[in-house]
Amino acid sequence: MISLKQFKYFVEIVEAGSYSRAAEKLYIAQSALSRQIKELEDELQTQLLTRDSRQFELTSAGQVFFDRAKRILDDIEATVIQTRHVGQGVQGVIRLQHSSSVILTPQFTGALSQLLDEFTGVTLDVSMLPSENQTLEIEEGRADIGLLRLPTLRRHPHIHVREISTERLMVAVSQHSPLAALDNVDLASLSNEAFISIPHKDRGGLSYLVADLCLEQGFFPKPARALSRKSSQLNLIEANLGIAIVPECMRLTAPAGVRFIPLDHGQLHTTVGLACRREADPLVAAFADALVLKLAPAG
């Protein structure tokens, strides 16, 4: 049987970059560490590392094992912290923000509801803010967790962003638009359409992603005469003032007069990220880790 100790030893070796540094960090003899890895490889019946007297390299199997082993150890650590907090009845308010394009779908609200049952002392303060602003709010201590659309343009040294879900992009159009009768739309065919949402020069998020995808097709989104980056853009689309490329989840909040057409046969996607401080308060870190586990796709 493979032990958790072997998982930890292997991850430490890869992250340290050498057996000697890993042995020092683990306070064990290098020979004992080598023996544990040899026993691990024997149990797996495959080689994880190719090594000589000075260095080692991960095999393909070793890379897979490292990725999965690290995830398992992170999950165990999050479980221990979460269990300790629940058992101790730790209390606190967690300030959670989401962008207007990250709709609080049943998947999100269901996960939050389950976590509030588990973290009995936690109260959530939920608000909406653009993706780019969320990372700054967390960096400067005015928020704890952010649900945002990637990419974000600014990098803050204390912020860690993890990808938690993807969904397909669709074209939102008025029921009166000729596009509404189509079963699928190619992105390149939208070069002459007026876009309700275009990117802000200082912000990332959904509109920035859409502009990048359009540029790959040789055009920049032509702005409509009425613009919005908020959920109100769907009302402007219903009035046939333009179109927008949006995540599929926005169907849940769309007015009756808006139609959603699959884009490029469902091959274009957008990603939701969870942002949190790298050295967050233990309660916030445990809640964020647990939320990632509930929302991240299996595999």
Side-chain angles (χ1 to χ4, degrees):
M1 287 290 293
I2 299 173
S3 67
L4 285 175
K5 179 169 66 176
Q6 289 172 324
F7 275 80
K8 182 177 181 180
Y9 285 179
F10 183 78
V11 169
E12 288 287 357
I13 289 170
V14 175
E15 291 186 336
S18 76
Y19 277 75
S20 59
R21 285 195 292 271
E24 290 177 5
K25 186 174 181 181
L26 293 166
Y27 298 103
I28 64 172
Q30 186 172 334
S31 58
L33 186 58
S34 297
R35 184 168 60 252
Q36 286 288 336
I37 300 305
K38 180 64 169 62
E39 292 176 2
L40 174 62
E41 290 178 323
D42 290 344
E43 182 67 28
L44 292 170
Q45 299 182 4
T46 190
Q47 188 175 15
L48 301 176
L49 301 169
T50 57
R51 45 199 177 272
D52 55 32
S53 58
R54 300 185 61 184
Q55 61 185 11
F56 69 81
E57 291 185 1
L58 282 169
T59 64
S60 297
Q63 184 65 59
V64 170
F65 188 83
F66 171 73
D67 293 339
R68 297 297 179 90
K70 185 168 176 55
R71 188 181 308 165
I72 288 169
L73 291 174
D74 288 344
D75 289 352
I76 290 173
E77 182 181 6
T79 300
V80 169
I81 294 173
Q82 180 181 345
T83 302
R84 183 180 298 127
H85 283 148
V86 172
Q88 294 172 350
V90 176
Q91 297 184 345
V93 176
I94 293 179
R95 298 160 297 177
L96 184 146
Q97 297 178 335
H98 67 99
S99 77
S100 59
S101 68
V102 180
I103 305 298
L104 293 183
T105 64
Q107 179 192 18
F108 279 116
T109 55
L112 293 175
S113 179
Q114 291 176 29
L115 289 182
L116 289 175
D117 287 341
E118 297 171 12
F119 289 78
T120 54
V122 165
T123 299
L124 281 181
D125 180 359
V126 181
S127 59
M128 190 182 296
L129 200 69
S131 296
E132 201 71 48
N133 295 25
Q134 289 181 43
T135 53
L136 180 61
E137 290 286 295
I138 297 170
E139 174 79 8
E140 296 185 349
R142 293 186 293 272
D144 300 306
I145 297 172
L147 298 174
L148 44 84
R149 285 283 167 191
L150 299 178
T152 53
L153 302 184
R154 293 184 179 87
R155 298 290 182 263
H156 300 285
H158 302 109
I159 301 300
H160 178 43
V161 179
R162 287 171 280 184
E163 296 183 3
I164 56 173
S165 65
T166 60
E167 57 186 309
R168 62 176 179 169
L169 289 169
M170 306 189 78
V171 184
V173 304
S174 168
Q175 63 181 344
H176 303 297
S177 167
L179 296 172
L182 300 178
D183 294 325
N184 178 77
V185 174
D186 292 324
L187 179 58
S189 69
L190 300 177
S191 60
N192 292 321
E193 298 291 334
F195 282 70
I196 293 293
S197 178
I198 60 172
H200 187 283
K201 64 182 179 65
D202 295 325
R203 293 181 187 170
L206 180 63
S207 60
Y208 189 91
L209 170 65
V210 169
D212 267 354
L213 293 173
C214 291
L215 286 172
E216 289 176 5
Q217 299 299 318
F219 73 98
F220 189 83
K222 183 174 71 174
R225 294 181 63 192
L227 298 174
S228 174
R229 297 181 189 85
K230 305 297 182 185
S231 54
S232 58
Q233 67 180 271
L234 294 175
N235 300 104
L236 299 178
I237 292 168
E238 183 181 35
N240 207 17
L241 293 173
I243 69 168
I245 295 175
V246 297
E248 188 171 11
C249 69
M250 294 192 74
R251 301 175 81 158
L252 296 175
T253 60
V258 176
R259 298 289 181 265
F260 290 80
I261 315 300
L263 183 66
D264 279 7
H265 303 283
Q267 295 180 8
L268 299 181
H269 294 80
T270 174
T271 301
V272 175
L274 184 145
C276 188
R277 287 185 69 87
R278 296 184 187 277
E279 303 296 333
D281 174 87
L283 179 61
V284 172
F287 194 93
D289 289 342
L291 185 56
V292 168
L293 291 179
K294 289 187 180 297
L295 294 177

